[in-house]
Amino acid sequence: MKIYVDMDKCQHYGQCTFEAPTVFALNDDGKLEYTGEVDDALADQVEAAADVCPMQAIEIEA
Ligand code: SF4
């Protein structure tokens, strides 16, 4: 599955990093970094991350 985060929306709060820590992380500058393509086994985590994102910035493409 593919993941896209709209960086114009993302406010780098980091809630997604708690739901899917192997996919999303905040770097040393506090900016979000993420993996754009992940195994479908992580779908539940990624969907949970998208759900908690307060900016609805995470888009998922199956
Ligand atoms: S939860 Fe949403 S706004 Fe926060 S860092 Fe993740 S993508 Fe960005």
Side-chain angles (χ1 to χ4, degrees):
M1 62 194 296
K2 290 184 179 164
I3 300 166
Y4 171 74
V5 178
D6 186 337
M7 287 303 184
D8 289 335
K9 291 183 183 172
C10 175
Q11 297 297 317
H12 313 283
Y13 297 130
Q15 279 92 330
C16 53
T17 68
F18 295 105
E19 299 295 338
T22 60
V23 179
F24 303 96
L26 296 180
N27 67 18
D28 290 344
D29 294 328
K31 299 288 185 186
L32 180 72
E33 292 182 351
Y34 67 100
T35 305
E37 187 152 15
V38 301
D39 194 279
D40 287 351
L42 290 170
D44 285 352
Q45 285 187 29
V46 172
E47 284 167 10
D51 284 347
V52 299
C53 176
M55 303 308 294
Q56 295 293 293
I58 301 172
E59 294 175 16
I60 301 167
E61 198 175 294

